[in-house]
Amino acid sequence: VVVVGHGVPRVVVDQLREAAPALEAEIGDALALESCAPIHVDVLPAIEGASTLEPPWSLPDWAAGAADPGERRIVVAVTAKGERQDRERILLHELAHVGVREAGGARVPRWLDEGTARFLAHEADDPDVLARARVGDRLLPLAALDKTFPSDGTSANVAYAESARAASIIAAKPGGLGAVLHAIREVPRYAEFPDPVPAEGE
């Protein structure tokens, strides 16, 4: 993992560089990966700076990170909407996106990609978000989350929470992580669809 800082303190970059090998190994072990191809990580003060990178990213302002698994590129923001983020957890989440692509051999449905990334990054499925969405009749069918997620932060939170819940249900089946890996490898590949916007972090 190659970590490069852009306008952030050197200590922040050094901390992520030190943590990155263990985080990559954690994802590799979980998904039984063998690739040693490099992964490039850009660390920014805020996600808005991603639009100035080369090539540029187009990301929502509520994101704290993003991954382009096909290009093995990741961006991690130190802050999101002015709030300091857990950079190592974000990197773990984004590394999981790269790992899911590698494990599946192709793009999988967005909900499975995001749900697996949240599961592997030890992120909760936000039961409060799900409860409020249910009461407000704002739950989304997983079929609507195959290729992309809503662009507004509130609906995206619901989509992330539903995806995390779906992945945790799969992981609760006999085989645990093996069941998740089986789903990644066996779901339809959606190869006939163009790639959507790169997978965003939280």
Side-chain angles (χ1 to χ4, degrees), residues 5 17 27 30 59-60 63 65 73 75 84 86 93 96 100 108-109 111 124 134 144 158 165 178-179 182 186 192:
R17 281 178 180 157
I27 297 301
L59 301 170
R73 293 178 65 213
V75 61
R84 189 166 295 277
D86 182 343
H93 179 110
V100 166
V108 301
W111 65 264
R134 179 178 287 280
V158 175
R165 177 62 60 86
H182 179 77
E186 298 302 324
E192 69 272 24

Side-chain angles (χ1 to χ4, degrees), residues 13-195:
V13 178
D14 288 345
Q15 287 171 349
L16 273 186
R17 281 178 180 157
E18 184 176 346
L23 299 177
E24 183 185 25
E26 182 176 340
I27 297 301
D29 290 345
L31 295 176
L33 303 178
E34 298 180 357
S35 174
C36 295
I39 299 171
H40 184 87
V41 179
D42 289 304
V43 186
L44 304 168
I47 206 67
E48 289 81 2
S51 63
T52 67
L53 296 173
E54 186 57 45
W57 300 73
S58 178
L59 301 170
D61 62 0
W62 44 260
D68 184 343
E71 297 298 322
R72 299 178 73 83
R73 293 178 65 213
I74 289 172
V75 61
V76 172
V78 174
T79 62
K81 285 193 166 289
E83 296 184 7
R84 189 166 295 277
Q85 301 298 302
D86 182 343
R87 298 179 296 274
E88 290 188 19
R89 181 189 55 76
I90 293 167
L91 179 55
L92 182 61
H93 179 110
E94 304 307 338
L95 286 168
H97 284 305
V98 176
V100 166
R101 169 65 71 89
E102 185 176 331
R107 183 174 295 278
V108 301
R110 181 70 181 272
W111 65 264
L112 180 58
D113 187 14
E114 289 295 350
T116 302
R118 291 194 69 157
F119 181 79
L120 293 177
H122 318 292
E123 298 167 348
D125 57 9
D126 297 324
D128 290 344
V129 170
L130 292 173
R132 287 193 297 271
R134 179 178 287 280
V135 170
D137 197 25
R138 291 184 292 106
L139 289 175
L140 304 165
L142 285 183
L145 305 176
D146 275 346
K147 292 176 284 183
T148 190
F149 270 22
S151 59
D152 70 280
T154 299
S155 296
N157 280 341
V158 175
Y160 281 113
E162 288 186 29
S163 300
R165 177 62 60 86
S168 67
I169 290 170
I170 295 171
K173 295 182 176 294
L177 264 177
V180 176
L181 184 55
H182 179 77
I184 291 169
R185 290 174 172 165
E186 298 302 324
V187 293
R189 301 307 187 196
Y190 298 88
E192 69 272 24
F193 296 113
D195 282 357

